[in-house]
Amino acid sequence: MLEQSEKLNPKDRRKKIADRVLAEGSVSIDDLVRDLGVSQMTVHRDLDTLEQQGWLRKVRGGATAAPNALYESNTRWRGNEMVEAKEAICAAALSVSEPGQAVIIDDSSTVRPLAQALSSRGAYTVITNSLQVINDLADDSDIRVIGLGGVYHPSFSAFWGTTTADAVRSLRADIAFMSTAAVDAGSCYLQHQENIVVKRAMLDAARFKVLLVDHTKFGRQALYRLAPLTDFDLVVSDAELPAEQQQMLKALGVRYELAAASG
């Protein structure tokens, strides 16, 4: 193993590290040093690079794929979290849409199942900054896809930034479906300013706004405020949403629905 690892170039070595963190959730520096046959300094440099690229979060003694207030997890990691709840939430949210509409779908892992489900529902125009959604719908002759360009972020499989936001502002949609990293004190929060500017433009461009968010996002913290929950016409969560969070939504006058996972 040591002899094979020594032949890895920096790019392949970092891919190996990222794949391991995403598969296992976390890894220690000592384990990486031993398994890759490189120095601690090399591992530290690799983790710094991967953190800057958004693949992982460097912590004391190692790295993790779990999010915090400043770091949003990689798309691959998020796509494997709360899968049944996300699918149930998307199934419930679909009821507010109908064929012929123009819908905005953001780059969140929560909303991706909704995009995939549109294929069986007829003709739609889908506006999105998600490369995954573009690829999911690319071969569907009933769906017209408008891809929002901008700066591409590989670890999130998405286009973010002012160029993307400007593209959204030139359009108008019937519905915007989006998610968020955290819900706290009656507002939505995200970790990246480049994402904030895009999602705010999406909210402004849509007549009807739907927030899809599983119960684990409530009570979390992230750095940048996206919008108050009252900016959304509907909030869809899962049946595990705690009673105190439901009371919060009621007190704010927010319309919400809870989706039960199948089975």
Side-chain angles (χ1 to χ4, degrees):
M1 186 178 205
L2 176 61
E3 182 179 350
Q4 182 182 10
S5 297
E6 286 177 339
K7 297 179 182 178
L8 293 175
N9 60 44
K11 181 179 179 179
D12 290 340
R13 186 178 64 244
R14 289 165 188 160
K15 183 180 184 303
K16 192 180 185 76
I17 293 171
D19 287 344
R20 180 167 176 179
V21 173
L22 292 171
E24 300 178 11
S26 62
V27 67
S28 73
I29 289 174
D30 289 343
D31 284 347
L32 292 174
V33 169
R34 183 187 66 248
D35 295 343
L36 294 172
V38 295
S39 69
Q40 277 199 357
M41 186 63 69
T42 296
V43 170
H44 275 287
R45 285 197 298 265
D46 286 344
L47 293 180
D48 288 339
T49 298
L50 291 168
E51 184 175 52
Q52 291 171 4
Q53 294 172 349
W55 291 103
L56 50 77
R57 176 164 60 93
K58 193 176 179 184
V59 296
R60 184 178 179 86
T64 179
N68 68 0
L70 299 177
Y71 167 78
E72 173 63 296
S73 296
N74 174 272
T75 296
R76 282 171 53 189
W77 172 263
R78 286 183 285 122
N80 293 323
E81 294 289 292
M82 301 296 295
V83 174
E84 290 186 3
K86 291 173 180 177
E87 290 176 347
I89 289 168
C90 287
L94 271 173
S95 65
V96 303
S97 72
E98 59 185 39
Q101 290 182 324
V103 299
I104 293 172
I105 296 177
D106 73 359
D107 60 286
S108 63
S109 64
T110 301
V111 185
R112 188 182 178 193
L114 184 146
Q116 295 168 329
L118 286 179
S119 292
S120 62
R121 290 177 59 88
Y124 285 88
T125 295
V126 173
I127 302 163
T128 185
N129 66 322
S130 167
L131 183 59
Q132 288 183 322
V133 170
I134 292 171
N135 289 333
D136 288 340
L137 301 177
D139 295 328
D140 192 321
S141 59
D142 288 333
I143 295 181
R144 180 174 64 164
V145 179
I146 299 177
L148 302 170
V151 177
Y152 181 64
H153 295 256
S155 59
F156 300 104
S157 192
F159 299 90
W160 290 352
T162 56
T163 303
T164 313
D166 287 342
V168 179
R169 294 187 186 106
S170 68
L171 301 167
R172 186 69 176 162
D174 296 289
I175 307 175
F177 294 104
M178 68 174 59
S179 190
T180 190
V183 176
D184 188 49
S187 290
C188 305
Y189 294 84
L190 295 165
Q191 294 94 338
H192 299 280
Q193 284 183 310
E194 299 95 330
N195 199 4
I196 286 281
V197 68
V198 173
K199 294 204 183 193
R200 284 180 179 167
M202 289 177 168
L203 287 172
D204 291 340
R207 178 180 56 83
F208 193 83
K209 307 160 183 61
V210 185
L211 179 69
L212 291 72
V213 57
D214 72 75
H215 74 278
T216 65
K217 304 291 182 64
F218 286 79
R220 282 188 184 176
Q221 291 184 328
L223 187 60
Y224 299 104
R225 184 173 184 261
L226 169 61
L229 292 174
T230 52
D231 277 7
F232 294 90
D233 298 288
L234 175 64
V235 173
V236 185
S237 189
D238 61 274
E240 299 300 316
L241 185 66
E244 60 268 24
Q245 299 294 349
Q246 296 184 45
Q247 288 299 322
M248 179 269 294
L249 292 172
K250 291 177 182 177
L252 291 171
V254 175
R255 175 189 168 194
Y256 73 95
E257 295 180 13
L258 301 182
S262 61

